Amino acid sequence: GQNIDQPTEMTATEGAIVQINCTYQTSGFNGLFWYQQHAGEAPTFLSYNVLDGLEEKGRFSSFLSRSKGYSYLLLKELQMKDSASYLCAVMDSNYQLIWGAGTKLIIKP
Amino acid sequence: IAGITQAPTSQILAAGRRMTLRCTQDMRHNAMYWYRQDLGLGLRLIHYSNTAGTTGKGEVPDGYSVSRANTDDFPLTLASAVPSQTSVYFCASSPGTDTQYFGPGTRLTVL
């Protein structure tokens, strides 16, 4: 079966750095996506990785290792507005997105 | 209109009633999707359409139907609602097999 695993909840301090991990087992791989979802709102696109390595976009970076079935999202200089759920999704061989349950990130002052 | 819109924002529905959730996009995206999101679970694909005139079944299609008469609209119909269909429903679109953009969602409660 297809499976995406990520921690249910994480807590971090304002101004700090947090790493959210995602491991996956899917039938085929056509890229990995990270989305941010604030409570009561729609998911919004953060990043896309299809090749191994690190993609940096401002305070957010995303890493992929296809051989390990592993990705992480790194958030630097945390702000209170970063309190949200972070969703990991893998595009499988049929070009359908398989979604993890999301990691709820709580930022404390 | 800018992006994707969904209607209604929320709805309380009696079991057994028929309900259509509306989704419209103005980005001329070929592909459109319907997901449901339940607490503790990832987004689950209900139905999708790769282009106008075609539709396909996702992971959880039972009890739902869709149509894609044109590029912009992708309505989702519950023929006879049941309490297990209580959920938040998101419509999404993408230019092709890449980044999906989501509508604001419809919160549906079936009693």
Side-chain angles (χ1 to χ4, degrees):
Chain A
Q2 306 200 93
N3 196 50
I4 310 287
D5 286 317
Q6 47 182 135
T8 301
E9 186 174 297
M10 299 181 69
T11 301
T13 304
E14 189 177 16
I17 299 173
V18 70
Q19 177 175 312
I20 302 174
N21 296 325
C22 172
T23 58
Y24 63 89
Q25 289 180 307
T26 56
S27 56
F29 180 85
N30 283 299
L32 186 143
F33 295 79
W34 284 97
Y35 280 76
Q36 181 189 60
Q37 185 177 26
H38 285 101
E41 298 183 6
T44 55
F45 170 74
L46 285 178
S47 68
Y48 170 67
N49 295 69
V50 66
L51 299 176
D52 288 352
L54 188 69
E55 293 280 344
E56 297 187 79
K57 191 184 294 185
R59 294 190 298 115
F60 292 7
S61 303
S62 56
F63 172 83
L64 175 67
S65 169
R66 288 172 297 171
S67 62
K68 296 182 179 178
Y70 168 70
S71 172
Y72 67 73
L73 180 69
L74 191 72
L75 291 74
K76 303 176 185 177
E77 302 169 15
L78 286 170
Q79 302 175 11
M80 298 303 294
K81 68 178 182 180
D82 298 329
S83 292
S85 289
Y86 291 86
L87 313 181
C88 175
V90 172
M91 185 162 282
D92 69 8
S93 57
N94 294 318
Y95 294 94
Q96 300 295 348
L97 282 179
I98 309 301
W99 295 82
T103 299
K104 182 178 181 179
L105 178 62
I106 299 168
I107 309 296
K108 295 187 174 180
Chain B
I1 299 177
I4 303 180
T5 59
Q6 293 184 236
T9 302
S10 65
Q11 182 76 44
I12 298 174
L13 189 66
R17 296 298 295 268
R18 180 184 179 89
M19 175 75 190
T20 295
L21 308 184
R22 300 184 298 279
C23 175
T24 299
Q25 55 106 357
D26 66 353
M27 297 177 286
R28 309 303 295 172
H29 285 173
N30 285 323
M32 297 186 75
Y33 312 85
W34 273 106
Y35 292 94
R36 60 177 291 173
Q37 187 175 42
D38 302 290
L39 199 62
L41 299 176
L43 288 160
R44 291 183 291 170
L45 183 65
I46 304 170
H47 285 287
Y48 66 92
S49 170
N50 289 329
T51 189
T54 69
T55 62
K57 294 181 180 180
E59 180 187 354
V60 289
D62 293 344
Y64 305 94
S65 63
V66 291
S67 61
R68 186 88 186 276
N70 57 60
T71 298
D72 299 345
D73 302 299
F74 191 44
L76 176 74
T77 297
L78 289 68
S80 179
V82 295
S84 61
Q85 292 177 311
T86 293
S87 187
V88 180
Y89 291 84
F90 286 104
C91 180
S93 71
S94 66
T97 56
D98 50 14
T99 304
Q100 295 183 13
Y101 299 90
F102 285 79
T106 293
R107 186 174 297 273
L108 181 68
T109 302
V110 182
L111 300 176

